[in-house]
Amino acid sequence: MKKNIYFNHDGSVDDLTSLFLLLQMDNVNVTGVSVIPADSYLEPAMMASRKIIDRFGHGINLAVAASNSRGKNPFPQDWRMHAFYVEALPLLNESGKVVIPLANKPAHFHLIDTLRVTEGKTTLLFTGPLTDLARALDIDPTIEEKIERLVWMGGTFREEGNVEEPEHDGTAEWNVFWDPEAAARVWASGIEIVLVALESTNQVPLTLEVRQSWAKERKFIGVDFLGQCYAIVPPLVHFTTNSTYFLWDVLTTAFIGKSDLVKMQTVNSIVITEGVSQGRTVATDVGRPVHVVYDVDRDAFFDYITDLAKRV
Ligand code: AGV
Ligand code: CA
């Protein structure tokens, strides 16, 4: 039995490679895709998504929905530029046309409609902020019944997050920080939440060794695509900086296809929405339970995604 997956992403390099990998999983039925312009600009992220589905979707029939959501704390502009570089890759532009259409509704309505018309329950895969889900829940809370669970790249229970911004203490992860209220809204729902948090994504940095392994196998068009995408962003070399790239969203997506790559534990938690720690997820007895992915078999993860890329 294939799992129904609705994918909402925010157009960064690992969001777009996640879309590519999701389309290669034989145990997944992708029911919808939408794009929120958080860690990207909307136009290139939409175009890149449609071109990836055209090129690597094995003929799947989908329309991509654009979000009209806005966040509270914007991403740095140079990170948001990455989608322009992916969209322009010759590998995605060979045909000279874009076939996959735009959906005729904004992402949060598209999500509601897709959940309603899909038989059975759907797993939500979110690799950007939760704004579209929060808005969908406000409009129609009954969609909760149609949601199997939410798998989200977001949050951390470590002291150190990955936000380095003025007027912030650095304890938040970016996808929560962009729209903390949205995360709090989803926490207030009854939806089961799996958090692929920095605890595990910190274990899968982009390294020169990883890049080299893809370069070596670039005769496979899908592995070449991974290599081209991860040529755009800075690897971990001597030490972690604010711009060092990890495979945050790709790990989250790999969890969908192969959950035994990781270890999980349940934590009661809340989301801080105000002040210098806004966007921080805090473990506390009074919070709601979330399943936190805190460990990953790194080698098995890289083997899995490279094998998926060879299925093109
Ligand atoms: O916090 C991780 C999230 C993931 O969904 N994003 C990038 C991934 O798509 C924000 C982010 C944190 N650090 C970054 C980010 C960096 N150095 N470059 C680009 N984006
Ligand atoms: Ca992302």
Side-chain angles (χ1 to χ4, degrees):
M1 253 273 281
K2 291 189 180 198
K3 269 186 278 190
N4 295 324
I5 305 291
Y6 184 97
F7 184 32
N8 179 284
H9 73 75
D10 71 338
S12 186
V13 162
D14 65 336
D15 298 88
L16 294 168
T17 50
S18 293
L19 173 60
F20 159 66
L21 292 166
L22 193 65
L23 293 167
Q24 312 316 316
M25 293 176 185
D26 52 20
N27 51 354
V28 159
N29 171 35
V30 183
T31 63
V33 174
S34 51
V35 179
I36 181 170
D39 201 1
S40 66
Y41 292 94
L42 187 61
E43 268 299 312
M46 288 293 294
M47 289 301 278
S49 301
R50 294 162 67 200
K51 290 174 182 180
I52 286 169
I53 302 169
D54 275 347
R55 181 69 180 80
F56 296 120
H58 305 279
I60 193 174
N61 176 23
L62 284 174
V64 180
S67 170
N68 56 13
S69 296
R70 295 287 177 269
K72 195 170 191 183
N73 299 299
F75 276 98
Q77 174 172 334
D78 51 334
W79 295 357
R80 297 184 68 198
M81 295 296 289
H82 295 155
F84 282 102
Y85 316 142
V86 176
E87 189 221 340
L89 290 175
L91 199 47
L92 294 181
N93 289 279
E94 220 171 335
S95 75
K97 54 180 197 249
V98 182
V99 177
I100 287 289
L102 292 170
N104 58 6
K105 291 199 177 155
H108 59 302
F109 282 111
H110 181 257
L111 170 60
I112 293 172
D113 286 0
T114 307
L115 287 170
R116 279 192 187 137
V117 301
T118 304
E119 206 182 310
K121 290 192 179 192
T122 299
T123 295
L124 304 182
L125 170 62
F126 273 59
T127 59
L130 292 181
T131 318
D132 290 323
L133 176 55
R135 291 173 76 193
L137 288 168
D138 280 345
I139 291 165
D140 181 2
T142 68
I143 58 170
E144 277 192 33
E145 297 155 18
K146 297 287 287 177
I147 298 171
E148 181 76 40
R149 59 180 171 171
L150 165 68
V151 177
W152 187 33
M153 192 287 124
T156 184
F157 296 101
R158 295 158 42 101
E159 285 289 301
E160 206 187 335
N162 64 4
V163 171
E164 287 184 25
E165 289 285 298
E167 303 183 343
H168 195 268
D169 66 6
T171 55
E173 182 282 323
W174 260 105
N175 287 339
V176 196
F177 180 63
W178 196 78
D179 188 352
E181 277 83 8
R185 172 65 185 86
V186 174
W187 255 241
S189 75
I191 300 170
E192 181 184 338
I193 300 175
V194 175
L195 279 189
V196 181
L198 296 182
E199 282 78 346
S200 54
T201 61
N202 280 346
Q203 298 174 35
V204 289
L206 173 65
T207 60
L208 298 178
E209 178 216 336
V210 168
R211 271 195 184 154
Q212 185 54 42
S213 73
W214 290 332
K216 245 188 162 145
E217 297 202 280
R218 66 178 289 272
K219 65 171 182 282
F220 297 97
I221 205 110
V223 181
D224 194 30
F225 180 65
L226 286 179
Q228 302 284 351
C229 285
Y230 283 97
I232 292 168
V233 290
L236 172 63
V237 185
H238 302 294
F239 54 87
T240 303
T241 73
N242 187 36
S243 53
T244 303
Y245 217 84
F246 295 81
L247 278 80
W248 303 275
D249 300 349
V250 175
L251 177 57
T252 311
T253 304
F255 171 81
I256 294 281
K258 194 166 161 52
S259 58
D260 63 4
L261 294 170
V262 305
K263 290 188 191 138
M264 278 197 284
Q265 78 195 116
T266 305
V267 173
N268 289 329
S269 78
I270 56 162
V271 180
I272 296 180
T273 55
E274 303 284 338
V276 295
S277 304
Q278 62 184 272
R280 182 177 188 178
T281 42
V282 179
T284 161
D285 289 344
V286 298
R288 68 106 86 202
V290 294
H291 308 295
V292 182
V293 171
Y294 67 92
D295 191 43
V296 53
D297 181 340
R298 184 198 165 278
D299 292 347
F301 162 71
F302 280 106
D303 287 348
Y304 176 56
I305 64 170
T306 307
D307 283 348
L308 281 176
K310 291 178 185 171
R311 292 190 184 174
V312 170

